[in-house]
Amino acid sequence: MNENTPSPTATDAPWPTSGTRVKVPDTSMLPGSEIAPAPSAKLLNQAVQGAHNTIDRLAVSAAPVARQLGERVEAASDALHATANQLRDTRDEWVESARTTVRKNPLAWVAGAAVMGALIGRITRTTR
């Protein structure tokens, strides 16, 4: 029962003990406050309200522009996809045409490939 617990010092206490006064926040700007706000608080409220009004006007005027920009981006995206599909179709046609030509004359294409290989080999050999 004889437990020795240290007494709290001034630094251990959760509240100020040195006689300093704690500043209480100003509640005059809270709704329902009975204290009249200072003139600077009224000026600050007017500035804040003016900023809110300006931001609201900007948001209203920017909404149609943002919507129009979104529509233009969507149209550009659709056009880009259509062009990409068209290019894929053209590529497939060319590949099929080349396959058909090679199937009709395989010996000529093998000879042509051999000649091209020899030319590329000669060019790379002479530039060293």
Side-chain angles (χ1 to χ4, degrees):
M1 293 281 269
N2 255 349
E3 293 180 10
N4 290 333
T5 58
S7 62
T9 62
T11 58
D12 294 337
W15 57 86
T17 58
S18 63
T20 58
R21 302 183 86 185
V22 176
K23 186 171 182 176
V24 177
D26 182 18
T27 59
S28 62
M29 294 188 57
L30 293 175
S33 174
E34 295 176 10
I35 302 172
S40 61
K42 287 182 181 180
L43 183 61
L44 180 62
N45 280 338
Q46 290 173 352
V48 167
Q49 188 60 42
H52 280 290
N53 293 342
T54 302
I55 291 171
D56 289 342
R57 279 195 319 267
L58 286 174
V60 167
S61 66
V65 174
R67 187 173 23 260
Q68 185 181 25
L69 180 62
E71 290 169 358
R72 287 183 181 178
V73 167
E74 186 177 350
S77 174
D78 291 344
L80 185 62
H81 285 293
T83 302
N85 289 336
Q86 184 181 8
L87 288 174
R88 277 190 216 101
D89 293 342
T90 302
R91 178 201 61 195
D92 293 343
E93 289 173 8
W94 285 3
V95 167
E96 190 57 37
S97 173
R99 284 183 184 156
T100 303
T101 305
V102 170
R103 284 184 185 137
K104 287 182 181 178
N105 304 312
L107 187 59
W109 282 94
V110 170
V115 169
M116 288 297 292
L119 284 173
I120 291 172
R122 189 174 221 39
I123 291 171
T124 57
R125 195 171 346 130
T126 59
T127 59
R128 286 186 193 177

